[in-house]
Amino acid sequence: MKILVLPGDGIGPEVCNEAVKTLEVLAAKKGVSFAFEEDHAGGSAIDAYGDPMPDAVIAKAKASDGVLLGAVGGPKWDHHTGAMRPESGLLKIRKELGVFANLRPVAVSAALADASPLRPEAIAGTDMLVVRELTGGIYFGEPRGRSGEPGAEDAFNTMRYTTPEIERVARVAFTWARRRGGRVCSVDKANVLVVSQLWRDVVTKLHKEEFSDVELTHMYVDNAAMQLVVRPSQFDVILTGNLFGDILSDAAATLGGSLGLLPSASVGGNVGLFEPVHGSAPDIAGQGIANPVAMLLSTAMMMDELEQGDIANAIRAGVDAALNEGLRTADLHREGKTTRVSTQEMAERIREAALASLV
Ligand code: NAD
C-alpha cells in the first residue's frame, strides 16, 4: 500500500516521523508492506514550491491509498493571504480528495480521567466517534447573502441537504458503528427544521434497509450538547450535519484534556486524509516535547480504513499501555504523579507495547 506522508510545519514533522516509524515496525511484524512517499504541505510547500498545496502533491495524494498529514501553518507564513495561506492548502486537498465525512473519536482512558475538565466519575468510560458531514449543509448552501441599508440590513444562509448527501455520510457512520460498539445516535433539530426532518427520514430508511444490525437512536442537537457534558459515556457513534458537527465535535474534543490526544480522519472519497486535530503548535516546535498520541491514533484510523484492524488495535493498545504506565509528554505531565517523557520516548514506548500486543 502506498502512503503519502505530508509532515507540514511546526510539530508536524516531529509527530509524523514517529507515526512512520511505528507503521514500519508493525507492518514488518505483520508481513504487510507499505511504500511511504513524503512531500511538502502548508508553509513548507510555500517555501519549497511557492504554493501551499501544489497540484503535483494532490496528484500524489490521489494515487496513494491514504494520506497522513501532520499540521500546517505558523508565524513565518502568517503574512500570506487567500489561496497562499498554509491553511488554504489543507482546504484544497480535502476538496480535491472529496472527503465528505469528518471523523473524530474521543476516548478518555481511566489513566487520563483526571486531565478532563469533567469530574472523573462523569467522564469514566467515554469512548465516542463524532461523524460530521463536511462538505454540505448551511456552510455551503445557496442562496446566501446580505442586503439593505446600514441599520436595516438583513442576511441569510441556506441549510440544504440532499438525500444522497445524507445517505453517504450516514453509511460511513453505520459502517464505523459496526467496527465499534454497534450504536449510532443521529443528531438533528427535526422538531424545528425541515432539513432535519429529511435527515431523520433518510437515516431511518437507510438503517432499516442496510444496517438493521446497528442500533439507531435520534437526538435533538440541544439535548445532545447537554448530554455530551452530563453523560458522555452514553455515546458510541454520533452522526450529524456540518453545523451541528462543528460545534459538537469541538465540545467533545475538550473532554479528553489535551489537544495532543485527538486524532481525526476525513473520508468518503477514494483516498482518506488522516491528521491530528491539533495545529502546528509553533510555541513548542523543535523542542521534542509534542505529544505524538494524536498523530499515532490518526495513523490507527488510517489502518482501520485500510482494513488493517490488527495494526490499528496494536497502536491503540500501545497508547493505552504507555498512558497506564504513567508516561506523559509535557502537555499532560503532573509533577509527582506522572513520568515526564519526550515525544520520542513516548512514541518509543507506544511502539514497544504495540509490537508486544500484535500477534
Ligand atoms: P495548535 O493546535 O497548534 O496549538 C494550540 C495549543 O495546544 C498550543 O499551546 C500548543 O502548544 C498545544 N498543542 C497542540 N498540539 C499539541 C501536541 N501534539 N502536544 C502538546 N501540545 C500541543 O493551535 P494554534 O496555536 O491556534 O495554531 C498554530 C498554527 O497551527 C496556526 O498557524 C494555525 O493556523 C495552525 N493550525 C493548523 C491546523 C491543521 O493543520 N489542521 C489546525 C489548527 C491550527
Side-chain angles (χ1 to χ4, degrees):
M1 277 173 279
K2 284 194 331 197
I3 296 177
L4 179 65
V5 183
L6 300 175
D9 311 315
I11 62 169
E14 299 169 43
V15 293
C16 254
N17 186 25
E18 300 302 337
V20 172
K21 273 196 223 163
T22 304
L23 278 185
E24 275 171 346
V25 297
L26 296 178
K29 178 152 181 204
K30 196 72 195 154
V32 184
S33 159
F34 293 120
F36 295 99
E37 185 169 9
E38 194 173 307
D39 213 320
H40 295 286
S44 79
I46 295 176
D47 291 349
Y49 307 124
D51 181 339
M53 190 57 67
D55 290 342
V57 175
I58 299 278
K60 282 184 191 173
K62 287 183 176 169
S64 71
D65 293 290
V67 180
L68 270 185
L69 189 136
V72 301
K76 183 178 174 194
W77 306 280
D78 273 350
H79 62 283
H80 287 287
T81 54
M84 274 299 282
R85 285 195 62 79
E87 296 79 4
S88 302
L90 208 51
L91 296 182
K92 180 174 169 185
I93 192 169
R94 286 181 187 150
K95 182 164 176 277
E96 289 284 337
L97 293 179
V99 285
F100 58 78
N102 182 249
L103 277 47
R104 277 200 199 179
V106 178
V108 182
S109 67
L112 281 174
D114 61 352
S116 172
L118 298 191
R119 292 188 315 280
E121 64 272 23
I123 197 76
T126 296
D127 184 356
M128 75 179 87
L129 173 70
V130 181
V131 177
R132 166 189 171 194
E133 201 288 328
L134 200 58
T135 54
I138 195 163
Y139 291 177
F140 296 91
E142 297 286 349
R144 68 174 89 189
R146 193 168 160 163
S147 63
E149 298 300 314
E153 274 185 299
D154 72 341
F156 52 97
N157 290 85
T158 303
M159 188 187 266
R160 186 184 291 264
Y161 270 117
T162 63
T163 298
E165 279 178 316
I166 301 167
E167 261 175 15
R168 64 186 189 177
V169 71
R171 193 168 271 119
V172 171
F174 284 126
T175 303
W176 274 83
R178 277 184 178 153
R179 294 176 184 151
R180 296 172 43 96
R183 292 182 293 124
V184 169
C185 176
S186 174
V187 172
D188 61 35
K189 190 70 182 169
N191 50 343
V192 177
L193 299 175
V194 182
V195 65
S196 281
Q197 289 157 12
L198 177 68
W199 180 281
R200 196 174 275 219
D201 290 348
V202 172
V203 172
T204 303
K205 183 164 179 278
L206 182 72
H207 171 252
K208 197 171 162 208
E209 289 174 356
E210 292 182 34
F211 295 97
S212 54
D213 54 311
V214 174
E215 182 188 310
L216 172 66
T217 52
H218 302 274
M219 194 180 277
Y220 297 134
V221 62
D222 40 352
N223 186 24
M226 196 171 69
Q227 295 300 328
L228 264 182
V229 290
V230 174
R231 204 165 60 83
S233 61
Q234 70 187 278
F235 295 109
D236 179 21
V237 175
I238 293 179
L239 161 67
T240 191
N242 205 345
L243 171 64
F244 301 153
D246 189 2
I247 299 163
L248 294 181
S249 63
D250 266 20
T254 63
L255 299 175
S258 171
L259 266 178
L261 296 170
L262 291 165
S264 85
S266 299
V267 301
N270 291 330
V271 180
L273 181 64
F274 302 84
E275 52 179 326
V277 167
H278 63 71
S280 59
D283 53 334
I284 59 165
Q287 299 175 31
I289 60 171
N291 191 339
V293 167
M295 185 78 234
L296 289 169
L297 292 178
S298 306
T299 310
M301 294 184 81
M302 172 188 261
M303 291 298 104
D304 275 325
E305 198 67 17
L306 296 179
E307 309 288 336
Q308 298 296 324
D310 289 353
I311 295 180
N313 290 336
I315 295 172
R316 284 190 278 261
V319 168
D320 285 345
L323 291 173
N324 286 335
E325 288 162 13
L327 303 194
R328 300 284 187 277
T329 41
D331 51 319
L332 287 167
H333 173 60
R334 297 176 97 197
E335 210 53 56
K337 291 195 165 174
T338 60
T339 310
R340 183 175 165 159
V341 290
S342 67
T343 308
Q344 206 182 339
E345 288 163 336
M346 186 74 183
E348 193 55 48
R349 179 61 197 128
I350 292 171
R351 272 194 289 280
E352 275 172 20
L355 260 180
S357 82
L358 194 65
V359 279

